[in-house]
Every structure is written in C-alpha cells, then in structure tokens.
Short mmCIF file of all heavy atoms in Angstrom, two decimals:
data_model
loop_
_atom_site.label_atom_id
_atom_site.label_comp_id
_atom_site.label_asym_id
_atom_site.label_seq_id
_atom_site.Cartn_x
_atom_site.Cartn_y
_atom_site.Cartn_z
N VAL C 1 9.27 -1.04 -3.52
CA VAL C 1 7.99 -0.60 -2.93
C VAL C 1 7.45 0.61 -3.68
O VAL C 1 8.22 1.35 -4.26
CB VAL C 1 8.13 -0.27 -1.41
CG1 VAL C 1 8.47 -1.51 -0.60
CG2 VAL C 1 9.06 0.86 -1.15
N ALA C 2 6.14 0.77 -3.59
CA ALA C 2 5.45 1.91 -4.21
C ALA C 2 4.91 2.81 -3.12
O ALA C 2 4.14 2.39 -2.26
CB ALA C 2 4.28 1.43 -5.08
N THR C 3 5.38 4.05 -3.11
CA THR C 3 4.75 5.07 -2.31
C THR C 3 3.73 5.74 -3.23
O THR C 3 4.11 6.34 -4.23
CB THR C 3 5.79 6.10 -1.78
OG1 THR C 3 6.75 5.37 -1.00
CG2 THR C 3 5.14 7.16 -0.92
N ILE C 4 2.44 5.57 -2.88
CA ILE C 4 1.36 6.03 -3.74
C ILE C 4 0.66 7.19 -3.10
O ILE C 4 0.12 7.07 -1.99
CB ILE C 4 0.36 4.89 -4.03
CG1 ILE C 4 1.09 3.70 -4.66
CG2 ILE C 4 -0.77 5.37 -4.91
CD1 ILE C 4 0.24 2.44 -4.76
N ILE C 5 0.69 8.33 -3.77
CA ILE C 5 -0.02 9.53 -3.31
C ILE C 5 -1.25 9.69 -4.18
O ILE C 5 -1.18 9.71 -5.40
CB ILE C 5 0.88 10.79 -3.46
CG1 ILE C 5 2.23 10.60 -2.77
CG2 ILE C 5 0.12 12.02 -3.00
CD1 ILE C 5 2.20 10.53 -1.28
N SER C 6 -2.41 9.83 -3.50
CA SER C 6 -3.64 10.18 -4.21
C SER C 6 -3.83 11.68 -4.01
O SER C 6 -3.76 12.19 -2.90
CB SER C 6 -4.82 9.43 -3.58
OG SER C 6 -6.02 9.97 -4.03
N CYS C 7 -4.05 12.40 -5.12
CA CYS C 7 -4.08 13.87 -5.07
C CYS C 7 -5.44 14.43 -4.68
O CYS C 7 -5.52 15.56 -4.21
CB CYS C 7 -3.64 14.43 -6.42
SG CYS C 7 -1.92 13.98 -6.78
N ALA C 8 -6.52 13.70 -4.89
CA ALA C 8 -7.85 14.25 -4.62
C ALA C 8 -8.68 13.24 -3.83
O ALA C 8 -8.52 12.03 -4.04
CB ALA C 8 -8.56 14.59 -5.95
N PRO C 9 -9.53 13.67 -2.94
CA PRO C 9 -9.88 15.07 -2.71
C PRO C 9 -8.79 15.84 -1.96
O PRO C 9 -8.61 17.04 -2.16
CB PRO C 9 -11.16 15.00 -1.88
CG PRO C 9 -11.10 13.69 -1.20
CD PRO C 9 -10.32 12.78 -2.13
N GLU C 10 -8.02 15.21 -1.07
CA GLU C 10 -6.86 15.79 -0.38
C GLU C 10 -5.69 14.89 -0.65
O GLU C 10 -5.88 13.69 -0.78
CB GLU C 10 -7.12 15.86 1.16
CG GLU C 10 -8.28 16.77 1.54
CD GLU C 10 -8.00 18.23 1.27
OE1 GLU C 10 -6.84 18.67 1.38
OE2 GLU C 10 -8.96 18.92 0.87
N PRO C 11 -4.46 15.42 -0.65
CA PRO C 11 -3.32 14.52 -0.83
C PRO C 11 -3.21 13.53 0.33
O PRO C 11 -3.20 13.91 1.48
CB PRO C 11 -2.12 15.49 -0.85
CG PRO C 11 -2.68 16.81 -1.14
CD PRO C 11 -4.08 16.83 -0.59
N GLU C 12 -3.18 12.25 -0.06
CA GLU C 12 -3.09 11.14 0.91
C GLU C 12 -2.10 10.13 0.42
O GLU C 12 -1.87 10.00 -0.78
CB GLU C 12 -4.45 10.47 1.08
CG GLU C 12 -5.56 11.38 1.62
CD GLU C 12 -6.89 10.69 1.65
OE1 GLU C 12 -7.30 10.03 0.65
OE2 GLU C 12 -7.58 10.80 2.68
N VAL C 13 -1.55 9.38 1.38
CA VAL C 13 -0.58 8.32 1.04
C VAL C 13 -1.18 6.98 1.51
O VAL C 13 -1.76 6.91 2.58
CB VAL C 13 0.79 8.59 1.64
CG1 VAL C 13 0.76 8.64 3.16
CG2 VAL C 13 1.83 7.58 1.17
N LEU C 14 -0.95 5.96 0.71
CA LEU C 14 -1.45 4.63 1.02
C LEU C 14 -0.44 3.85 1.85
O LEU C 14 0.73 3.77 1.49
CB LEU C 14 -1.75 3.86 -0.28
CG LEU C 14 -2.15 2.39 -0.11
CD1 LEU C 14 -3.53 2.29 0.56
CD2 LEU C 14 -2.18 1.70 -1.47
N VAL C 15 -0.92 3.26 2.94
CA VAL C 15 -0.13 2.29 3.71
C VAL C 15 -0.97 1.01 3.88
O VAL C 15 -2.19 1.07 3.98
CB VAL C 15 0.35 2.84 5.06
CG1 VAL C 15 1.43 3.91 4.89
CG2 VAL C 15 -0.81 3.33 5.90
N LEU C 16 -0.29 -0.10 3.91
CA LEU C 16 -0.92 -1.41 4.11
C LEU C 16 -0.43 -1.98 5.42
O LEU C 16 0.73 -1.77 5.80
CB LEU C 16 -0.56 -2.38 2.99
CG LEU C 16 -0.79 -1.93 1.54
CD1 LEU C 16 -0.28 -2.98 0.58
CD2 LEU C 16 -2.23 -1.59 1.30
N LYS C 17 -1.27 -2.72 6.12
CA LYS C 17 -0.84 -3.39 7.34
C LYS C 17 -0.73 -4.88 7.03
O LYS C 17 -1.67 -5.54 6.60
CB LYS C 17 -1.81 -3.15 8.49
CG LYS C 17 -1.24 -3.73 9.78
CD LYS C 17 -1.99 -3.27 11.02
CE LYS C 17 -1.25 -3.81 12.22
NZ LYS C 17 -2.03 -3.71 13.40
N ARG C 18 0.49 -5.40 7.27
CA ARG C 18 0.76 -6.81 7.00
C ARG C 18 0.09 -7.67 8.07
O ARG C 18 0.03 -7.32 9.22
CB ARG C 18 2.26 -7.05 7.00
CG ARG C 18 2.97 -6.20 5.93
CD ARG C 18 4.46 -6.28 6.05
NE ARG C 18 4.93 -7.61 5.73
CZ ARG C 18 5.23 -8.01 4.52
NH1 ARG C 18 5.10 -7.21 3.49
NH2 ARG C 18 5.65 -9.24 4.27
N LYS C 19 -0.42 -8.83 7.63
CA LYS C 19 -1.00 -9.78 8.58
C LYS C 19 0.08 -10.38 9.47
O LYS C 19 1.24 -10.44 9.09
CB LYS C 19 -1.69 -10.92 7.82
CG LYS C 19 -3.06 -10.57 7.37
CD LYS C 19 -3.84 -11.82 6.99
CE LYS C 19 -5.29 -11.43 6.79
NZ LYS C 19 -6.09 -12.55 6.40
N SER C 20 -0.32 -10.82 10.65
CA SER C 20 0.63 -11.49 11.54
C SER C 20 1.04 -12.82 10.95
O SER C 20 0.18 -13.60 10.53
CB SER C 20 -0.02 -11.67 12.92
OG SER C 20 -0.24 -10.42 13.52
N ASN C 21 2.33 -13.06 10.94
CA ASN C 21 2.90 -14.29 10.38
C ASN C 21 4.23 -14.54 11.08
O ASN C 21 5.14 -13.73 10.93
CB ASN C 21 3.08 -14.16 8.87
CG ASN C 21 3.69 -15.38 8.23
OD1 ASN C 21 4.26 -16.26 8.90
ND2 ASN C 21 3.59 -15.46 6.93
N PRO C 22 4.40 -15.65 11.82
CA PRO C 22 5.62 -15.85 12.55
C PRO C 22 6.87 -15.97 11.65
O PRO C 22 7.97 -15.81 12.10
CB PRO C 22 5.37 -17.17 13.31
CG PRO C 22 4.18 -17.78 12.69
CD PRO C 22 3.39 -16.68 12.01
N ARG C 23 6.70 -16.26 10.37
CA ARG C 23 7.84 -16.39 9.45
C ARG C 23 8.21 -15.02 8.80
O ARG C 23 9.19 -14.96 8.09
CB ARG C 23 7.54 -17.39 8.35
CG ARG C 23 7.40 -18.82 8.90
CD ARG C 23 7.04 -19.79 7.83
NE ARG C 23 5.72 -19.40 7.31
CZ ARG C 23 5.20 -19.82 6.18
NH1 ARG C 23 5.85 -20.66 5.42
NH2 ARG C 23 4.01 -19.45 5.83
N ASP C 24 7.42 -13.98 9.07
CA ASP C 24 7.64 -12.68 8.46
C ASP C 24 8.20 -11.71 9.50
O ASP C 24 7.50 -11.40 10.46
CB ASP C 24 6.29 -12.16 7.89
CG ASP C 24 6.42 -10.80 7.26
OD1 ASP C 24 7.53 -10.20 7.22
OD2 ASP C 24 5.39 -10.28 6.81
N PRO C 25 9.45 -11.26 9.33
CA PRO C 25 10.00 -10.34 10.32
C PRO C 25 9.28 -8.98 10.39
O PRO C 25 9.41 -8.25 11.36
CB PRO C 25 11.47 -10.15 9.89
CG PRO C 25 11.49 -10.55 8.45
CD PRO C 25 10.36 -11.54 8.26
N TRP C 26 8.51 -8.63 9.38
CA TRP C 26 7.73 -7.39 9.34
C TRP C 26 6.25 -7.64 9.62
O TRP C 26 5.41 -6.83 9.35
CB TRP C 26 7.94 -6.67 8.02
CG TRP C 26 9.36 -6.25 7.86
CD1 TRP C 26 9.96 -5.14 8.43
CD2 TRP C 26 10.39 -6.90 7.12
NE1 TRP C 26 11.28 -5.09 8.08
CE2 TRP C 26 11.56 -6.14 7.28
CE3 TRP C 26 10.44 -8.05 6.36
CZ2 TRP C 26 12.80 -6.51 6.71
CZ3 TRP C 26 11.64 -8.40 5.79
CH2 TRP C 26 12.79 -7.66 5.95
N SER C 27 5.96 -8.79 10.22
CA SER C 27 4.61 -9.20 10.55
C SER C 27 3.89 -8.13 11.36
O SER C 27 4.44 -7.64 12.35
CB SER C 27 4.69 -10.51 11.32
OG SER C 27 3.41 -10.92 11.74
N GLY C 28 2.67 -7.78 10.95
CA GLY C 28 1.86 -6.84 11.70
C GLY C 28 2.26 -5.39 11.53
O GLY C 28 1.64 -4.50 12.13
#
C-alpha cells in the first residue's frame, strides 16, 4: 500500500473508500 502525503497547501493524507462487495472482506 501507498501512504501518500500531500505537502501543500497543508499536509494531508489520501484515503480511499472501497465499494461494497460481498466477496471483499474489506468492503466499504
């Protein structure tokens, strides 16, 4: 996995939300 920090304008981190999928244990 990539933890991505954007430095400007303020330091922020990117997170993605996975779509709901009954075959994916990390769904949603």
